[in-house]
Amino acid sequence: MKNRVYGVLGIGSYMANWNADFTNYPKTIGDGSVYGSDKALKYSIRNYMNEVGKPVLIFKSFIEGKDQNLQPRTLD
C-alpha cells in the first residue's frame, strides 16, 4: 500500500451535456445509473491544458473550410 495514489477530479458542465451519447442523453448503464466515459474526461483535461497554455500532444480541432463545412486542422 506504499505506492498507491488516490485522487478526486471534479468537472463542472454548465448548460451542457458533458457526456452525451448519440441520442443526446447522458450515457447510462442497465440499471439507469449515469456514468462518465474516460474519453470525455481526457478531452476535458486536454482542453483545459490547451487553454492555460500547457503543451498538448494531440488535440483535435476544426476550422471552417471554403464551402462553410468544418474540416480538421492541418499541421501547418
Side-chain angles (χ1 to χ4, degrees), residues 61-67 69-74:
S61 61
F62 295 92
I63 58 172
E64 193 170 319
K66 296 175 186 173
D67 54 354
N69 290 333
L70 292 179
Q71 299 174 345
R73 291 183 184 266
T74 63

Side-chain angles (χ1 to χ4, degrees), residues 1-9:
M1 294 276 286
K2 290 175 18 180
N3 296 330
R4 294 186 185 254
V5 176
Y6 296 94
V8 176
L9 180 67

Side-chain angles (χ1 to χ4, degrees), residues 4 6 14-15 18 39 47 49 52 56 65 71 74-75:
R4 294 186 185 254
Y6 296 94
Y14 304 101
M15 300 296 290
W18 176 65
K39 282 84 175 169
N47 188 30
M49 292 182 70
V52 298
V56 178
Q71 299 174 345
T74 63
L75 293 176

Side-chain angles (χ1 to χ4, degrees), residues 5-46:
V5 176
Y6 296 94
V8 176
L9 180 67
I11 296 176
S13 179
Y14 304 101
M15 300 296 290
N17 191 354
W18 176 65
N19 194 37
D21 60 3
F22 292 113
T23 62
N24 293 328
Y25 289 102
K27 291 184 179 180
T28 57
I29 55 177
D31 65 355
S33 300
V34 176
Y35 74 97
S37 69
D38 60 331
K39 282 84 175 169
L41 178 63
K42 289 176 188 178
Y43 178 83
S44 299
I45 293 170
R46 287 183 185 135

